[in-house]
Amino acid sequence: GGDTFPMWFTFDMGVTAKLSRYKFYHLFMEEHAFQRGNLKTWEVWGRTDTPPADGSWDGWTLLTTCESYKPSGLPAGQISNEDKEYASAGEEFIFPTDAPAVRYIRFKALSTFTGVKFIHLMEVTFYGKPVETK
């Protein structure tokens, strides 16, 4: 807590891949659904080579911009059965076909559903095709 937007985190997928899509699972419990630190808007960045240790943005490529969808449109703190089903199934996001193959992923959080200054999530599952690297 106490951070400011944008905030980001980076991870190594362990393999270079041409990504086609990903599923994003919010932290989903009645008291957290579509509120608190669940992401509302964010960007996904990527790169093939090892990121600089200083955390700079040099060499990163924007892969896609995402916005979470709440089916009911109800205000924070209120959720419908449709919202629950949608969140538990995970949100799917498609990468543009011209996005480059990447190994490292950086999520850049732009906002949460309620504007709190921290983020959380449950799981991210990527789909794509591994590529040979030299």
Side-chain angles (χ1 to χ4, degrees), residues 70-84:
K70 184 179 182 184
S72 71
L74 291 169
Q78 299 177 31
I79 59 170
S80 69
N81 284 334
E82 183 182 18
D83 294 336
K84 291 176 189 177

Side-chain angles (χ1 to χ4, degrees), residues 58-133:
D58 294 340
W60 288 94
T61 299
L62 178 62
L63 303 176
T64 192
T65 300
C66 305
E67 182 169 357
S68 183
Y69 170 71
K70 184 179 182 184
S72 71
L74 291 169
Q78 299 177 31
I79 59 170
S80 69
N81 284 334
E82 183 182 18
D83 294 336
K84 291 176 189 177
E85 290 171 10
Y86 182 79
S88 66
E91 288 191 88
E92 186 171 87
F93 296 93
I94 306 298
F95 288 104
T97 56
D98 62 347
V102 296
R103 175 174 173 155
Y104 297 90
I105 296 288
R106 180 172 280 179
F107 271 68
K108 181 179 182 183
L110 304 175
S111 68
T112 59
F113 274 91
T114 55
V116 297
K117 304 295 191 229
F118 63 87
I119 59 173
H120 48 64
L121 55 105
M122 288 273 297
E123 179 181 336
V124 181
T125 304
F126 290 93
Y127 300 87
K129 181 178 181 180
V131 297
E132 295 279 333
T133 58

Side-chain angles (χ1 to χ4, degrees), residues 4-80:
T4 59
F5 288 105
M7 59 184 79
W8 54 88
F9 62 93
T10 304
F11 60 91
D12 180 355
M13 294 191 300
V15 63
T16 300
K18 174 74 172 158
L19 300 173
S20 58
R21 63 189 174 97
Y22 75 99
K23 287 194 85 167
F24 182 88
Y25 296 86
H26 292 279
L27 178 59
F28 184 75
M29 294 178 270
E30 293 287 330
E31 67 273 16
H32 297 306
F34 299 102
Q35 58 182 334
R36 300 198 64 208
N38 280 314
L39 294 176
K40 174 69 174 157
T41 58
W42 66 96
E43 298 170 342
V44 181
W45 294 71
R47 66 184 301 141
T48 302
D49 58 329
T50 304
D54 66 2
S56 79
W57 285 87
D58 294 340
W60 288 94
T61 299
L62 178 62
L63 303 176
T64 192
T65 300
C66 305
E67 182 169 357
S68 183
Y69 170 71
K70 184 179 182 184
S72 71
L74 291 169
Q78 299 177 31
I79 59 170
S80 69

